[in-house]
Each structure stands twice: as structure tokens, then as C-alpha cells.
Amino acid sequence: MRLSRYFLPVLRDTPKEAEIVSHQLMLRSGMVKQSAAGIYSWLPLGLRVLTKIAEIVRQEQNRAGAIEILMPTMQSADLWRESGRYEAYGKEMLRIVDRQERDLLFGPTAEEVVTAIFRDSVRSYRDLPKNLYNIQWKFRDEIRPRFGVMRGREFLMKDAYSFDLTADGARKAYQRMFVAYLRTFARMGLKSIPMKADTGPIGGDLSHEFIILAETGESQVFCHKDLIEGAIPAADTDFDGDLSPIIEAWTSKYAATEDMHDAATFEANVPADSRVSARGIEVGHIFYFGTKYSEPMGARVQGPDGQMITVQMGSYGVGVSRLAGAIIEASHDAGGIIWPVPVAPFEVGLINLKAGDADTDRAATDLYVKLQAAGIDVLYDDTDERAGGKFATMDLIGLPYQLIVGPKGVKSGEAEVKARRTGARASMPMDAALAHVIDSVVSQRVLV
Ligand code: 5CA
């Protein structure tokens, strides 16, 4: 993409309304624009990040055996009356009346919709287990939407729902999502820690939140420090095999959110120098709630002996749009964002220091087409802005590698490579610079 033809409305000044760095940087780099309180438009740069995050989530859900569907944003209130949650959900639910005077709502989550799909189409235990997920916009009329996309009113969520014949089957489904989540967040360059959590309005008795440590996090969390560097299950993990050892390794050390924290247990089980008490961002939340929805909504299958069995369920959420902010909280410096390669809006920023100069244009265009031919996502700054402005913008938007071409370098046949994360710069012959950038990007596309 040529910057001269792109839509990248960067802001030079930090918007006053943004309290935390990710919100400031998302606005400044032209990723999102607020449309109403807690409601955002995703501009081209932001949409590229959101799409890459969603794709990683999708790949890991598929790997774990979940099946993608797409449910509506608008839901019928009658379904929620069946589960008994319509009144209970309170003011966070956006309620809407259609022209026939029927009650609708903008879905804050989809347990009811998916339970109805299951109930109406699955008849036999032979069809189990099943896990259906979708990546869809949700609406929660939060009292205090804040921190940009971190606590929005409209936000993109991946929500998966598992159906099993037995509680033991449901526990295995929970374990598959647990492992999928460890991989999902690690692939985005994040260190997530599963922590025992409260179940809130979703309900149930087993639940983990996946937390990223960050000073600006909304939750207070407590854990053993070893969990920060815990081992991430490999891509060839057998999801049909026994995942208990992985779960055991991650849950045998203390980790709890504020609601579940027990200071006495923490102090008794974790040596003083290993105790972490910190702020965290919840990027995922998984629940096992048995028959909480399947019982009142009549989601039953015929068992092996002909008897009808109410299915065991769990639900598994990932904050897809929140992750864009969370990744920035975890990866930035004074100059701006530092995108990990797998979620970077473009992998390389190519800077032409003297657009309009025939030799420099020719050299830069040559690199541009070669990067594209190699399958690299490249943003080519071919504008006539001054060099200082170009460098500041590239640092701000955080592309992992910069390839800089100027008239002096062109004369000696060299280009400069800058790694955004380390700030290291090196001049190299054009071909070597191209190869270096391509190799660096390709080697970091898959982190685990
Ligand atoms: N039905 C369950 C799991 S599918 C559920 O709704 N879980 S949840 O309430 O915990 O939400 C799942 C994830 O969505 C959270 O972990 C969080 O990352 C994200 N999320 C929740 N509320 C918001 C919000 N207001 N803004 C942005 N992301 C949010």
C-alpha cells in the first residue's frame, strides 16, 4: 500500500480524553475513531490489526476442534425469557422494540441463541461433543465505558459454546479451550496467565480468566511469578489426547483475580519472593456451567440407552477488540506502538526520503514491488513529507521493520534497516537489506 493513497489520519497531539497509553496511541495512529460513547469506527490501520487478531483466534479455535458459525447481533427477548436471564441481566442489556412491538435486544453474549440452535438440530449423544463459536459484535451498556476499545459498549468477541453428554466430557472441552487460549495469546506476543475467576452473570462453578499483566489493567490480580513465563503448548498438541498434565502445570501454582483471592492461601503457598500482586487486563474468560441453560431451554439428546439427557455446557470468550488495546499496553515505547509481527497492520514500512527524486523513487519502487512479490505486507511512504515527520509517523504506527531509502544510500547502492523494537539501525547493500527484512518478518510470523 502506498501511503499517498492510503487513509491514515494520524494525530500529532495526544487527545485529552484518552487516559491510558493504548487509547492515546490508537487515536493518534488513526486506528480507531470514537463514534459515540464506547462505540468506535475501525479505520484501515486498526481494521488490519483487528482482522489479524481475529484470524489467530480463529486458527486456534479450529485447531482445538471448535466449529465456526455466525449468530445475529439482534436477539429475541423470548429466548432470554426461556433461560430466565431477560429480567436478571439488568441495564447492561440494550433492549429494543421492533415495529410489531416485539422485544428484541442487541446481544451481550449468546448462550441462549446457541442453545436454541443446538436444541433444534442435535438429537443423539452420537453427535457429541460439539463446540460452536462465532466472532461477532456484542453490546453491553457499560455504566462507564472507558479506555477506548478496552471497555467499550460495542465490542468484538469470540464466543464459543461446548456441548457434552457428561460432566467429564465437559471438563475435557474446558481443557481444550484452556490450551487453545494459552496458544492464542502467546501467538500475539502476549504472556497470559489463567486465573481462578468469579463467574458473574454467565454463571457456573468453574471459571478462569486469562490475564495480561499491565499497570493500567482494571483488575487486581495475585499469582506465582513462575506463571508469567509458563510453557506454551506446542502447535502439534493432540487435542483429542489427555490435556490434564498441561492444565495441571498451569493451575497447580496460585493465580486468582481479586474476587477469588484468598490472602492466607496465597501467603501459605507462595514464597514471599515469588508473590506477584499486580494489575491485569482480562483478555479471555472461560466458564463451565453444566445445565444452567440447557435445563430450562430443554437442550437434551438421546443417550445410549434411549433415555433423554440434558447436555453439559460451557462458554469461552475472547475480547478480540480489547486485545488490540491490550497488545499496545504490553508493547510500546515513548515513540509509539511496537507491533509484534503476527498482528502488525503492515510488517514493513518502506520510507522514501526524497520522493520525486528519480533515482530514489526508482530504488524505493524496486524494493516495494519485491517486498510485495515476497508476500510481505508493506506500507510504502512515498509522500513528500520531510524526513523527521516520516520517521515519527513510522515509529508511532509501530511497524516491526523499517526500510529506509535516501539519495545518499542510492548512490552507494545501500538502504537502511531499522528494527522498531530494538531501535537498531544498519546500512546494507539493497539486496541484503531486502533479504534481511524478509527473513526477519517471516521468522517471526509464527511465535509458537
Ligand atoms: N459468554 C461468555 C463467554 S463466551 C462471556 O460473555 N464472557 S465475558 O463476559 O467474560 O466476556 C468475554 C470477553 O469479552 C472478556 O474476557 C473480555 O476480554 C471481553 N469483554 C467483555 N466486556 C467487554 C467490554 N465492555 N469491552 C471490550 N471487551 C469486553
Side-chain angles (χ1 to χ4, degrees), residues 38 85 89 92 108-111 138-142 144-146 148-161 181 185 198-199 201-202 207-210 218 281-287 289 293 314-323:
R85 271 208 297 185
Y89 214 92
E92 263 195 22
T109 175
E111 278 81 5
K138 304 290 187 290
F139 194 95
R140 293 181 185 173
D141 202 353
E142 305 271 353
R144 251 197 322 148
R146 57 184 189 151
V149 301
M150 294 272 240
R151 180 161 297 280
R153 291 199 297 164
E154 190 181 54
F155 59 97
L156 190 59
M157 190 200 285
K158 183 286 298 182
D159 38 325
Y161 304 88
Y181 277 33
F185 302 126
D198 189 23
T199 56
I202 308 292
S207 174
H208 284 89
E209 282 179 16
F210 285 72
E218 286 192 281
I281 301 167
E282 175 200 332
V283 288
H285 198 163
I286 61 178
F287 304 82
F289 42 69
Y293 301 90
S315 75
Y316 314 90
V318 169
V320 175
S321 48
R322 173 178 290 184
L323 273 163

Side-chain angles (χ1 to χ4, degrees), residues 246-258:
I246 301 173
I247 310 298
E248 180 64 19
W250 277 93
T251 53
S252 56
K253 293 204 162 115
Y254 190 95
T257 60
E258 201 166 18

Side-chain angles (χ1 to χ4, degrees), residues 87-293:
E87 303 307 331
Y89 214 92
K91 290 205 159 171
E92 263 195 22
M93 177 186 280
L94 181 64
R95 295 155 206 259
I96 298 158
V97 181
D98 73 9
R99 67 202 294 165
Q100 320 285 356
E101 300 287 313
R102 279 184 299 237
D103 293 326
L104 297 175
L105 56 103
F106 195 122
T109 175
E111 278 81 5
E112 284 78 358
V113 175
V114 79
T115 304
I117 292 172
F118 180 91
R119 160 184 82 188
D120 297 342
S121 27
V122 180
R123 301 264 166 265
S124 164
Y125 76 96
R126 287 193 201 86
D127 298 322
L128 298 180
K130 281 277 174 289
N131 183 328
L132 303 177
Y133 77 96
N134 77 167
I135 299 175
Q136 177 62 293
W137 294 91
K138 304 290 187 290
F139 194 95
R140 293 181 185 173
D141 202 353
E142 305 271 353
I143 295 188
R144 251 197 322 148
R146 57 184 189 151
F147 300 160
V149 301
M150 294 272 240
R151 180 161 297 280
R153 291 199 297 164
E154 190 181 54
F155 59 97
L156 190 59
M157 190 200 285
K158 183 286 298 182
D159 38 325
Y161 304 88
S162 65
F163 302 88
D164 282 88
L165 194 65
T166 63
D168 186 54
R171 190 177 52 80
K172 294 197 171 101
Y174 188 92
Q175 293 184 339
R176 286 193 286 275
M177 286 294 109
F178 192 109
V179 171
Y181 277 33
L182 290 173
R183 287 191 47 78
T184 300
F185 302 126
R187 282 189 59 186
M188 299 171 192
L190 294 171
K191 295 183 199 302
S192 74
I193 307 171
M195 303 201 179
K196 270 209 186 114
D198 189 23
T199 56
I202 308 292
D205 46 28
L206 175 60
S207 174
H208 284 89
E209 282 179 16
F210 285 72
I211 299 280
I212 306 300
L213 300 185
E215 276 164 32
T216 48
E218 286 192 281
S219 343
Q220 183 68 32
V221 299
F222 305 86
C223 69
H224 192 297
K225 81 167 169 19
D226 289 357
L227 292 172
I228 299 172
E229 302 291 341
I232 303 303
D236 62 359
T237 300
D238 177 11
F239 281 85
D240 295 322
D242 182 12
L243 299 175
S244 305
I246 301 173
I247 310 298
E248 180 64 19
W250 277 93
T251 53
S252 56
K253 293 204 162 115
Y254 190 95
T257 60
E258 201 166 18
D259 300 331
M260 301 298 275
H261 179 56
D262 176 48
T265 314
F266 187 45
E267 281 159 29
N269 288 288
V270 185
D273 59 358
S274 295
R275 284 179 210 148
V276 176
S277 162
R279 304 297 292 176
I281 301 167
E282 175 200 332
V283 288
H285 198 163
I286 61 178
F287 304 82
Y288 163 64
F289 42 69
T291 58
K292 177 172 177 199
Y293 301 90

Side-chain angles (χ1 to χ4, degrees), residues 332-365:
H332 66 270
D333 64 13
I337 304 168
I338 306 174
W339 290 113
V341 169
V343 293
F346 295 94
E347 296 163 316
V348 175
L350 172 63
I351 300 178
N352 180 337
L353 289 177
K354 200 162 187 203
D357 173 74
D359 289 339
T360 315
D361 285 351
R362 198 174 313 113
T365 305

Side-chain angles (χ1 to χ4, degrees), residues 296-342:
M297 295 185 70
R300 287 185 283 272
V301 295
Q302 192 156 42
D305 306 323
Q307 77 282 37
M308 294 308 287
I309 298 170
T310 301
V311 295
Q312 295 279 326
M313 290 178 60
S315 75
Y316 314 90
V318 169
V320 175
S321 48
R322 173 178 290 184
L323 273 163
I327 294 167
I328 296 173
E329 287 296 327
S331 187
H332 66 270
D333 64 13
I337 304 168
I338 306 174
W339 290 113
V341 169

Side-chain angles (χ1 to χ4, degrees), residues 377-390:
D377 282 341
V378 51
L379 180 65
Y380 171 27
D381 185 348
D382 60 343
T383 66
D384 53 14
E385 210 197 325
R386 63 192 172 77
K390 290 191 174 197

